[in-house]
Amino acid sequence: MLLKFRFFLLLTFIAISSAACSKKQPGYSVRAVPFERVKPDDNFWAPRLMTSRTVTIPHCLKMCDETGRISNFAKAGGLQEGSYEGFHFNDSDVYKIVEGICYTLKTNTDEQLQSILNDIISKIIAAQQPNGYIHPFITLTKEDAPFANPQRHELYSMGHLLEAGAAHYETTGRRELLDSSIKLADHICELFNADNGKFNYPPEHQGIEIALCRLYKVTN
């Protein structure tokens, strides 16, 4: 499972890199070919991309469901009763599978996968608080106040949400997850403002900086 998941993340990274460079922008001296315009028909990549879509993604969804990663959002959003399950950063895996599904749907129409994606996104949005904050572990356990403990990996997980929101918008043109991401990003920027923010510690993982750059490329 771990090897499959790592391979899936590699493909997602390739897609992100290509998508980020698909339009010539400041800071990029070349324009990459959008990944959805590339149709591998060889004996190496084509079968692996097929495996990612038909085996790896369904397996990751199954594991996210069985381990409570997806239901944690439903619980945090008041859609379902129950307590938090798993590691405090479990939400990050859901965001990454959402992002991966979006890139897959950009090259392969799949109504069933689209329906699953819509359901997951609705639960993610339900778990978001009015001020933009979203972290099911803190919401459900209240073991720490928001952002009080950098070891809770809030910014790390939130970065993955911002990237998923960008990918969903670029794939579908729909704004619900993008708007949720913007609301979260505004909340983070307000709290970590260099001049008058409440927090000034560095993030525990570079994922949030990468994600904010990704979101900027989509929203300007």
Side-chain angles (χ1 to χ4, degrees):
M1 172 189 171
L2 184 57
L3 290 176
K4 288 182 178 179
F5 192 61
R6 285 177 175 173
F7 176 70
F8 170 67
L9 292 183
L10 173 62
L11 293 181
T12 303
F13 174 77
I14 294 172
I16 293 171
S17 300
S18 177
C21 300
S22 60
K23 297 179 181 179
K24 194 170 183 180
Q25 299 172 326
Y28 289 96
S29 59
V30 297
R31 181 185 301 170
V33 176
F35 76 90
E36 68 271 17
R37 292 177 56 189
V38 179
K39 307 295 183 184
D41 59 1
D42 62 326
N43 294 325
F44 182 83
W45 283 113
R48 283 162 175 77
L49 290 172
M50 175 68 76
T51 298
S52 175
R53 180 168 62 90
T54 61
V55 179
T56 307
I57 288 179
H59 178 72
C60 290
L61 285 169
K62 180 174 180 290
M63 295 307 300
C64 283
D65 184 52
E66 290 181 355
T67 57
R69 281 168 164 82
I70 296 175
S71 64
N72 282 336
F73 288 96
K75 297 169 188 174
L79 305 177
Q80 179 179 330
E81 297 292 330
S83 57
Y84 187 87
E85 296 181 64
F87 295 108
H88 49 275
F89 49 80
N90 268 3
D91 52 337
S92 65
D93 293 337
V94 179
Y95 299 142
K96 296 313 287 184
I97 192 66
V98 164
E99 183 183 5
I101 291 173
C102 289
Y103 289 126
T104 295
L105 290 175
K106 198 165 186 178
T107 56
N108 297 275
T109 302
D110 189 319
E111 293 184 3
Q112 182 180 8
L113 201 56
Q114 181 67 64
S115 177
I116 293 172
L117 177 65
N118 293 343
D119 179 66
I120 295 175
I121 288 176
S122 68
K123 292 174 181 175
I124 291 173
I125 293 175
Q128 187 169 34
Q129 297 181 12
N131 63 3
Y133 180 86
I134 175 171
H135 194 63
F137 175 81
I138 296 297
T139 299
L140 289 170
T141 69
K142 296 180 173 56
E143 290 191 11
D144 291 297
F147 299 114
N149 184 353
Q151 297 302 314
R152 292 306 186 191
H153 286 65
E154 289 154 285
L155 292 174
Y156 161 78
S157 295
M158 290 172 180
H160 290 322
L161 172 56
L162 301 189
E163 294 195 80
H168 184 251
Y169 174 71
E170 289 183 334
T171 297
T172 66
R174 294 169 56 174
R175 292 191 58 97
E176 58 261 45
L177 195 59
L178 178 65
D179 288 340
S180 176
S181 299
I182 293 172
K183 188 176 182 180
L184 170 60
D186 287 343
H187 180 57
I188 293 172
C189 290
E190 178 183 0
L191 293 180
F192 288 85
N193 185 296
D195 297 325
N196 56 11
K198 182 178 180 180
F199 303 102
N200 62 6
Y201 61 78
E204 70 285 345
H205 191 281
Q206 67 272 22
I208 185 61
E209 292 101 322
I210 296 172
L212 288 170
C213 290
R214 176 88 170 93
L215 189 63
Y216 169 74
K217 292 180 186 301
V218 174
T219 63
N220 291 319

